[in-house]
């Protein structure tokens, strides 16, 4: 890292963090202007805490102490403070020392002594742990590799902060003092500890917003109508179980209760004697800062801002939004909005509709987040139409529409829903992703235990909504989509597909494979379903067509028989109103209800396989299937009767039409298993049960845990679709997600290669950066000269074919003689590089005469040697030309890309992407995922190429970029993959100083 000049204030060390209890604090460097704050902070610390800090009674700070603790060079002496409301709540400092423990005199000394002090009122909130993460990152940036701390044995809280951090440490006891020494290099354990703390803190902050005990609506109108009064009415109508207050500075002095609602009314928040957990703000934008100040002084932990006039209104509004966020965080508050549509929690002990939606949705197990209020309305309306009422197929657990999402975002909701036992499926509508790298990390972890379905609006460059002040993501949407798929996210394109996929995943078990049985009483509709399955790359079986006069009992028997067999993994039932003799028909809409009952009965006997229904002109069928299940028999178990029993996730089916393994034969029924939600495996991917793991086990519903495994209730809710294409698409998403879940249980490994010279490569990179970036602006990358690039790549076992310059025919002849014939003559001019289609590459030149003739033709046709920059290279074995790239986007992170070389792949976007570091399993799948992959595996009788060597090359590139963040770009083009081995014909490497902070650094809230 480059060190800034002494005493330069490092603004990039400033950060907002979420603490253990869900509140926030600001961490920043201490400056000389903080003298009064430091004295005030110290006066509020107990004598015991002071004793633990200084090992002796120390009632007050001297002027010399205050000067020493507020004046730093930000290199050898650094102090950070955690603040709330502008006041210190904790401090940490380090001083660089030498091996004898004395103040360091040399920049080569890489050890520092660290000490903390936390105000007693804020102990137990995780403040010290957050400060340790940030002071450690600062120390690493300043070349410090090890911390030492001396702690009294009685100070068990501080000892626990150090020992729980996950760093490699040494502990000694001498002269009545515990001395702790630990390396600051992040370890797998320290990263797991940090991520776990981040998840728990951010989940807790969302939980406080969604489950308040007291709500104040600030800006409640005096007359019916208006946003504030409407929000108040919706909260009241939803049956909110907590306390509700109406606040408006314009209320008459004698008004104590707002009628007809009967809600307590006050003119100012300070008049409410009890704590307020959530403030719903519906006042003009210019009055919001005053309201935020009142909320902060009253200790309100969270605010929901319905007011508009912020970033969506232009540059002035954008600055107003930044000031709003800064003000809210200064008081330790989380913020939803501004310009938000609201939030909903359907839990029976909360029942909160703090939104502009006029109707409280039914309770269920779908978590819903949108950035757009309009899309939020569409989703709530669409779900209500598909299954109204508590316990229906379309019920939700919670809903948040964040508007401009200045603070709380989809990432925060993923942290919350990851462990929420009331949410089994997560649905997200996103118009921007402020931190794609963190989103991919959180989505991958959440998808391992429950489905995450995402639709992304504004996918194309330049179409980010004006209210979303997010960093620019340079990678195209196709890359973001590929990274989502790698993370297990179910990516769809429309609101309708969001609902279709969400309903299936919330109500049905995951399919064990892609074999789809189709049955119904219409041959035409069954054929449409068959074609739709083929379009979605499923493996439909020949449809079973029942007579048009088939009765509900006929459907039940056919479905039961189909589900009983081992030849299918899921069933699509197609149905049209049946035609028959008068005495066999059911009157009116009762035919749909009767058929729904029959299908439920058959599906209940086989809860391990998903069932979907496609219907035409049978609305009663869809309504009955989506409705809450019938009231259970009092003698039956008291568990939810609408949730399917678990089933083991079978091995994925081989692709058709040439399966690598025979279809499974009949097997005994699996032994009973403990009940779990339908989308979760018996245990999360990773080590087997009983093994130690850093990841928490997904929670199990108490109601489910009480159900005897042998008496597991059947899935009584079945999703119904008015079109076969929609059912097939939703089922295909479930099949792909189930396959990802199986693979996620064994994600592969990042191989170790004995010939990689990591330390030597690091030294090469440092020398190159010193040489090449002296006159380059900070943050800009530089291209490494070809010879240096080849040497650097060789450190990682990536060997490029040598090329020799050929500025004239005689030099070309000497180069060819040195390399040996046959050779290739190529131009390296930027406009002709890798463009064999333009005639800039001539191959298989067998001798001197041919070389001179080819050289003349090339220069006569394309330009002078000075323009073309010709080179000579020896020929390599024939094969398939491919391209491998690795690049770092500031937001998306390090991405590994692979495709075939040439214009067709570029024009068609046939490039596969994976996040770095990539595992062997991910790379193997990456190679097979491009549409042109058959060319690598013997298409039309050609000889298959060495994909094992190709996979190894991809893994080596991934390791290089992962090991050295200074490597911001690698391009190998072309890489000729032959039947045996491969050849890298050209390579380019770009270097840059790594940014001061990344997603791999200490946890922090985004600041836009």
């Amino acid at each position: 890292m480059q060190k800034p000049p002494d005493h330069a204030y490092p603004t990039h060390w400033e950060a907002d963090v979420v603490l253990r209890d869900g509140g926030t604090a600001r961490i920043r460097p201490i400056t000389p202007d903080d003298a009064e704050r430091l004295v005030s902070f110290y006066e509020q610390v107990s004598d015991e805490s002071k004793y633990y800090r200084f090992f002796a009674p120390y009632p007050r700070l001297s002027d010399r102490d205050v000067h020493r603790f507020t004046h730093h060079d930000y290199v050898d002496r650094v102090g950070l403070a955690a603040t709330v409301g502008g006041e210190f709540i904790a401090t940490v400092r380090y001083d660089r020392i030498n091996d004898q423990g004395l103040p360091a005199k040399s920049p080569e000394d890489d050890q520092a002594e660290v000490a903390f002090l936390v105000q007693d009122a804020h102990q137990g909130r995780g403040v010290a742990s957050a400060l340790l993460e940030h002071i450690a990152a600062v120390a690493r940036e300043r070349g410090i590799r090890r911390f030492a701390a001396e702690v009294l044995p009685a100070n068990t809280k501080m000892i626990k902060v150090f020992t729980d951090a996950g760093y490699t440490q040494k502990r000694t006891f001498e002269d009545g003092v515990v001395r702790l020494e630990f390396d600051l290099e992040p370890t797998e354990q320290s990263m797991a500890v940090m991520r776990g703390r981040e998840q728990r803190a951010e989940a807790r902050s969302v939980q406080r917003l969604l489950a308040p005990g007291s709500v104040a609506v600030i800006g409640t109108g005096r007359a019916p109508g208006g946003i504030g009064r409407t929000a108040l009415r919706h909260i009241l109508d939803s049956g909110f179980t907590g306390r509700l207050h109406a606040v408006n500075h314009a209320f008459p002095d004698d008004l104590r209760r707002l009628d007809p609602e009967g809600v307590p009314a006050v003119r100012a928040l300070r008049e409410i004697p009890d704590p307020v957990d959530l403030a719903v703000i519906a006042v003009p934008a210019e009055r919001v800062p005053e309201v935020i100040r009142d909320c902060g002084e009253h200790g309100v932990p969270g605010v929901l801002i319905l007011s508009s006039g912020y970033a969506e209104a232009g540059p002035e509004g954008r600055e107003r939004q930044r000031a709003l966020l800064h003000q809210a965080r200064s008081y330790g508050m989380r913020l939803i909005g501004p310009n938000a549509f609201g939030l909903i929690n359907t839990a029976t002990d909360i029942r909160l509709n703090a939104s502009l939606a006029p109707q409280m949705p039914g309770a269920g197990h779908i978590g819903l987040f949108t950035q757009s209020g309009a899309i939020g309305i569409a989703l709530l309306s669409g779900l209500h139409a598909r299954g109204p009422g508590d316990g229906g197929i379309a019920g939700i657990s919670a809903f948040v529409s964040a508007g401009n999402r200045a603070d709380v975002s989809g990432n925060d909701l993923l942290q919350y829903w990851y462990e929420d036992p009331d949410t089994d499926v997560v649905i997200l509508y996103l118009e921007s992703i402020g931190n794609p790298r963190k989103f991919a990390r959180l989505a991958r972890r959440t998808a391992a235990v429950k489905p995450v379905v995402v639709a992304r609006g504004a996918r194309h460059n330049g179409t980010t909504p004006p209210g979303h002040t997010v960093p620019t993501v340079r990678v195209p949407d196709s890359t973001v989509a590929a990274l989502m798929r790698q993370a297990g996210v179910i990516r769809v394109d429309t609101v309708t597909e969001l609902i279709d996929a969400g309903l299936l995943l919330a109500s049905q078990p995951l399919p064990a494979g892609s074999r789809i049985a189709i049955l119904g009483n219409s041959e035409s509709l069954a054929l449409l379903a068959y074609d739709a399955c083929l379009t979605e790359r499923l493996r439909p079986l020949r449809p079973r067509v029942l007579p048009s006069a088939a009765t509900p009992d006929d459907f039940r028997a056919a479905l039961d028989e189909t589900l009983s067999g081992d030849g299918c993994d899921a069933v699509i039932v197609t149905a049209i109103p049946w035609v028959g003799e008068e005495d066999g028909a059911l009157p009116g809409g009762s035919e749909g209800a009767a058929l729904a009952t029959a299908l439920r009965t058959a599906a209940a006997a086989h809860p391990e396989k998903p069932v979907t229904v496609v219907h035409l002109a049978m609305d009663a069928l869809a309504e009955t299937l989506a409705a809450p299940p019938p009231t259970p028999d009092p003698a039956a178990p008291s568990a939810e009767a609408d949730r399917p029993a678990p089933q083991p996730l079978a091995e994925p089916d081989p692709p058709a039409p040439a399966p690598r393994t025979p279809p499974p034969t009949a097997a005994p029924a699996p032994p009973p298993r403990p009940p779990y939600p339908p989308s979760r495996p018996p245990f999360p991917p990773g080590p087997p049960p009983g093994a130690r793991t850093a990841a928490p086990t997904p929670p199990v519903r108490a109601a489910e845990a009480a159900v005897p495994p042998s008496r597991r209730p059947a899935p009584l809710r079945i999703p119904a679709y008015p079109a076969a294409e929609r059912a097939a698409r939703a089922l295909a998403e479930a099949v792909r997600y189930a396959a990802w879940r199986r693979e996620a249980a064994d994600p592969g490994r990042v191989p170790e290669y004995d010939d990689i010279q990591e330390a030597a490569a690091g030294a090469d990179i440092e020398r190159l950066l010193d040489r090449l970036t002296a006159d380059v602006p900070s943050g800009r990358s530089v291209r490494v000269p070809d010879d240096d690039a080849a040497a650097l790549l060789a450190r990682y076992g990536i060997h490029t074919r040598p090329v020799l310059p050929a500025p004239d025919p005689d030099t070309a002849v000497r180069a060819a003689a040195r390399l040996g014939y046959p050779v290739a003559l190529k131009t390296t001019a930027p406009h002709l590089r890798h463009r064999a289609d333009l005639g800039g590459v001539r191959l298989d030149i067998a001798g001197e005469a041919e070389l001179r003739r080819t050289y003349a033709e090339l220069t006569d046709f394309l330009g002078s040697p000075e323009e073309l920059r010709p080179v000579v290279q020896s020929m390599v074995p024939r094969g398939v030309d491919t391209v491998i790239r690795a690049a770092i986007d500031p937001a998306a992170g390090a991405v590994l890309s692979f495709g075939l070389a040439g214009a067709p792949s570029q024009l068609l976007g046939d490039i596969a992407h994976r996040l770095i570091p990539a595992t062997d399993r991910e790379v193997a799948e990456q190679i097979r995922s491009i549409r042109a992959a058959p060319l690598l595996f013997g298409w039309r009788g050609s000889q298959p190429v060495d994909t094992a060597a190709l996979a190894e090359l991809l893994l080596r590139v991934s390791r290089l970029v992962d090991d050295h963040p200074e490597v911001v770009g690698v391009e190998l083009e072309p890489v000729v993959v032959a039947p045996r081995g491969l050849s890298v014909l050209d390579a380019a490497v770009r270097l840059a100083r790594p940014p001061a902070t990344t997603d791999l650094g200490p946890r922090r809230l985004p600041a836009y």
Side-chain angles (χ1 to χ4, degrees):
M1 273 301 195
Q2 289 180 322
K3 297 179 181 179
D6 287 0
H7 306 291
Y9 182 82
T11 56
H12 65 277
W13 292 353
E14 296 179 351
D16 294 303
V17 298
V18 184
L19 303 178
R20 181 181 301 154
D21 62 356
T24 66
R26 184 163 185 79
I27 294 176
R28 63 170 178 83
I30 298 174
T31 70
D33 295 337
D34 290 321
E36 292 185 8
R37 292 187 184 89
L38 181 66
V39 171
S40 175
F41 158 73
Y42 194 77
E43 289 174 349
Q44 298 176 63
V45 176
S46 69
D47 291 339
E48 181 184 47
S49 295
K50 293 173 182 176
Y51 186 90
Y52 285 155
R53 169 65 176 85
F54 293 103
F55 298 178
Y58 214 90
R60 64 186 58 84
L61 297 175
S62 66
D63 291 343
R64 182 178 179 182
D65 292 331
V66 173
H67 184 275
R68 182 163 64 96
F69 293 151
T70 57
H71 288 70
H72 307 94
D73 61 12
Y74 302 125
V75 177
D76 297 330
R77 303 184 317 280
V78 172
L80 301 179
T83 68
V84 173
E87 299 300 321
F88 286 7
I89 64 170
T91 62
V92 63
R93 65 176 283 115
Y94 78 67
D95 294 272
R96 194 188 298 259
I97 58 177
N98 59 22
D99 292 339
Q100 288 74 45
L102 302 175
K105 301 297 184 182
S106 168
E108 301 301 320
D109 293 320
D110 61 357
Q111 184 176 205
E113 189 171 47
V114 65
F116 294 79
L117 186 60
V118 181
Q119 204 174 89
D120 294 66
H122 294 277
Q123 292 179 9
R125 300 184 64 201
V127 184
S129 298
L131 282 173
L132 177 58
E133 291 177 18
H134 283 262
I135 197 72
V138 167
R140 290 194 297 269
E141 183 180 330
R142 295 302 191 234
I144 292 173
R145 298 291 174 260
R146 188 167 65 258
F147 268 168
E150 294 186 344
V151 187
L152 290 175
N155 193 358
T156 55
K157 291 182 179 178
M158 188 52 60
I159 293 175
K160 183 174 176 60
V161 168
F162 290 119
T163 56
D164 288 353
Y167 295 109
T168 303
Q169 57 185 261
K170 181 175 69 174
R171 181 172 175 174
T172 58
F173 182 78
E174 186 176 351
D175 297 330
V177 174
V178 176
R179 181 175 177 83
L180 296 166
E181 296 182 5
F182 50 95
D183 296 332
L184 298 182
E185 188 66 26
T187 65
E188 186 175 345
Q189 182 181 358
S190 70
M191 292 299 296
V193 168
M194 184 172 67
R195 298 307 186 209
R197 287 172 174 166
E198 175 192 59
Q199 186 273 325
R200 290 188 293 273
E202 293 181 2
R204 173 60 179 157
S205 72
V206 173
Q207 192 269 340
R208 295 202 308 180
L209 291 166
L210 289 175
S214 174
V215 175
V217 181
I218 304 175
T220 302
R222 289 176 290 176
I227 293 179
R229 190 69 173 255
T230 299
L232 181 82
R233 183 77 249 177
H234 292 172
I235 295 173
L236 199 63
D237 291 345
S238 65
F240 178 52
T241 59
R243 301 181 302 276
L244 181 61
H245 303 272
V247 183
N248 189 332
H249 73 287
F251 282 157
D253 291 341
D254 59 348
L255 183 65
R256 296 292 178 265
R257 186 167 297 276
L258 187 67
D259 290 323
E261 291 86 357
V263 174
V266 297
R267 288 168 54 87
L269 199 64
R270 61 180 175 272
E271 298 176 20
I272 301 176
D274 301 318
V276 174
D277 300 317
L278 175 66
V280 180
I281 300 176
V283 301
E286 57 270 17
R287 284 203 53 228
V288 171
E290 173 190 346
V291 173
I292 294 293
R293 185 197 65 218
D294 293 344
C295 291
E297 293 174 353
H298 197 70
V300 178
V303 294
L304 166 63
I305 301 181
L306 306 178
S307 311
S308 59
Y310 288 91
E312 81 282 358
E316 182 179 346
R318 188 173 294 110
E319 290 305 315
R320 185 183 296 122
Q321 182 167 305
R322 290 195 178 101
L324 167 66
L325 179 61
H326 180 78
Q327 183 187 18
R329 285 183 176 171
S330 72
Y331 287 109
M333 292 187 290
R334 296 306 306 269
L335 180 155
I336 296 178
N339 195 29
F341 184 72
L343 64 86
I344 297 173
N345 187 347
T346 64
T348 55
D349 56 342
I350 305 295
R351 301 293 299 177
L352 174 64
N353 178 12
S355 79
L356 301 180
Q359 189 170 21
M360 181 73 167
H365 303 289
I366 297 175
L368 185 58
F369 174 86
T370 75
Q371 292 172 354
S372 161
I375 300 301
I377 294 172
L379 283 168
L380 290 175
S381 176
L383 287 170
H384 179 77
R386 298 286 289 274
D390 290 346
I393 194 172
I396 69 169
S397 59
F399 164 81
V400 174
S401 181
N404 294 1
R405 67 144 185 78
D407 181 22
V408 172
S409 69
N411 284 348
D412 294 284
L413 271 298
L414 281 174
Q415 298 277 39
Y416 172 72
W417 281 323
Y418 169 63
E419 285 188 327
D420 178 35
D422 291 326
T423 301
D424 292 338
V425 177
V426 174
I427 292 180
L428 306 174
Y429 174 80
L430 306 176
E431 291 175 338
S432 59
I433 303 177
N435 189 340
R437 190 184 315 189
K438 182 176 180 179
F439 174 81
R441 171 169 58 84
L442 300 184
R444 185 185 190 97
R445 185 192 57 194
T446 304
V449 295
K450 60 186 69 173
V452 177
V453 190
V454 174
R456 186 177 175 212
R459 297 191 297 267
H460 304 290
N461 293 336
T463 57
T464 299
H468 296 223
T469 51
V470 300
T472 300
V473 181
R474 293 199 297 262
V475 295
D477 178 67
S478 60
T479 304
V480 175
L483 301 184
M484 284 187 180
R485 286 193 295 271
Q486 184 185 1
V489 172
I490 300 169
R491 170 76 180 271
V492 298
D493 295 326
T494 67
V495 171
T496 300
E497 291 174 359
L498 270 179
I499 296 173
D500 287 346
L503 293 184
L504 188 145
L505 292 163
S507 62
Q508 296 296 301
L510 292 178
S514 60
R515 299 168 301 171
I516 312 300
I518 301 170
L519 66 89
N521 62 347
S522 168
E523 182 177 10
S524 298
L525 189 54
L527 289 175
L528 285 175
Y530 184 89
D531 291 341
C533 288
L534 289 176
T535 300
E536 296 297 331
R537 300 185 180 181
L538 298 174
R539 301 173 60 201
L541 308 179
R542 176 175 296 181
R544 178 176 178 178
V545 181
L546 304 177
S548 59
T551 65
D553 282 341
D554 295 330
F555 272 89
R556 180 194 55 74
L559 180 57
D560 182 77
E561 181 181 345
T562 301
L563 291 171
S564 299
D566 294 321
C568 73
D569 303 302
V571 179
I572 296 178
V573 178
T574 64
I576 62 172
W578 52 85
V579 179
E581 297 297 331
E582 196 63 35
D583 57 358
L586 297 173
S590 60
E591 62 180 6
L595 179 56
T597 301
L599 296 179
R600 278 178 163 175
T601 301
H606 306 279
E608 73 282 359
K609 293 181 181 180
V611 177
T612 64
V613 172
V614 177
H615 68 94
L616 294 180
M618 296 189 71
D619 293 339
L621 170 63
E623 292 170 3
T624 308
L625 289 173
T631 303
D633 188 330
S638 60
E640 298 174 6
D642 59 332
R643 302 172 64 76
Q647 76 286 351
L649 288 179
E651 290 300 314
D653 283 309
R660 291 173 290 177
T661 57
T665 56
R673 294 179 181 269
Y676 286 81
S679 60
R680 299 176 187 163
F683 49 84
R692 299 188 63 180
T693 174
T697 301
V700 179
R701 287 180 176 282
E704 292 169 347
V707 182
S710 61
R711 302 184 65 188
R712 198 71 188 115
L716 298 181
R717 300 173 305 173
I718 300 175
Y721 303 91
E725 296 79 10
R726 290 171 57 181
R729 190 174 299 118
L731 196 53
E733 297 293 358
V735 168
R736 287 189 283 267
Y737 170 67
W740 179 88
R741 279 275 289 270
R742 289 187 290 267
E743 294 169 359
D746 180 17
R749 62 186 184 89
V750 178
E752 296 288 339
Y753 296 106
D754 295 337
D755 59 341
I756 286 181
Q757 304 171 34
E758 182 177 346
D764 290 347
I765 290 169
E766 194 61 36
R767 284 193 298 270
L768 287 168
L769 284 171
D770 291 341
R771 191 179 90 206
L772 300 174
T773 63
D775 301 322
V776 175
S778 177
R780 295 285 297 274
S781 66
V782 294
R783 175 166 175 154
V784 178
D786 290 346
D787 290 344
D788 293 315
L792 175 60
L793 292 170
R795 300 284 193 189
Y796 272 72
I798 303 169
H799 301 285
T800 59
R801 285 278 178 164
V803 295
L804 299 178
D808 55 69
D810 292 337
T811 305
V813 170
R814 289 193 295 271
R818 177 179 171 185
L819 295 173
Y821 289 99
V823 297
L825 180 66
K826 305 190 295 184
T827 63
T828 60
H831 66 290
L832 295 172
R833 199 178 185 93
H834 309 311
R835 292 300 305 274
D837 56 314
L838 296 181
V841 179
R842 305 298 174 89
L843 305 175
D844 288 320
I845 302 173
E848 178 180 342
E850 185 180 355
L851 177 57
R852 289 185 181 275
R853 183 175 66 255
T854 302
Y855 195 100
E857 292 174 353
L858 196 68
T859 53
D860 289 345
F861 180 66
L862 296 176
S864 67
E866 291 76 13
E867 295 175 291
L868 303 182
R869 306 176 196 174
V871 296
V872 175
Q873 190 173 47
S874 60
M875 290 295 298
V876 300
R878 296 281 185 176
V880 178
D881 289 1
T882 64
V883 57
I884 294 173
R885 296 188 182 95
I888 295 180
D889 182 88
V895 179
L896 181 68
S897 303
F898 165 76
L900 299 192
S905 292
Q906 296 176 14
L907 290 173
L908 298 175
D910 192 18
I911 305 291
H913 310 276
R914 294 296 181 271
L915 286 173
I916 292 175
T919 67
D920 51 1
R921 179 187 286 271
E922 290 170 340
V923 162
E925 195 275 334
Q926 181 181 20
I927 293 172
R928 289 165 172 78
S929 66
I930 61 173
R931 293 193 295 274
L935 295 174
L936 302 170
F937 295 94
W939 185 62
R940 287 192 173 181
S942 62
Q943 190 173 1
V945 300
D946 193 347
T947 52
L950 178 60
E952 180 178 326
L953 179 60
L954 282 161
L955 288 167
R956 288 178 180 271
V957 172
S958 172
R959 277 288 308 275
L960 171 64
V961 176
D962 187 48
D963 291 345
H964 305 283
E966 300 87 352
V967 181
V968 297
V970 175
E971 180 174 347
L972 309 181
E973 183 181 6
V975 177
V976 181
V977 188
R980 294 188 61 183
L982 54 77
S983 303
V984 180
L985 301 188
D986 194 16
V989 176
R990 299 193 70 86
L991 300 179
R993 299 282 180 184
T997 58
T998 68
D999 186 52
L1000 301 179
R1003 51 190 156 127
R1004 60 174 59 214
L1005 289 171
Y1008 301 137

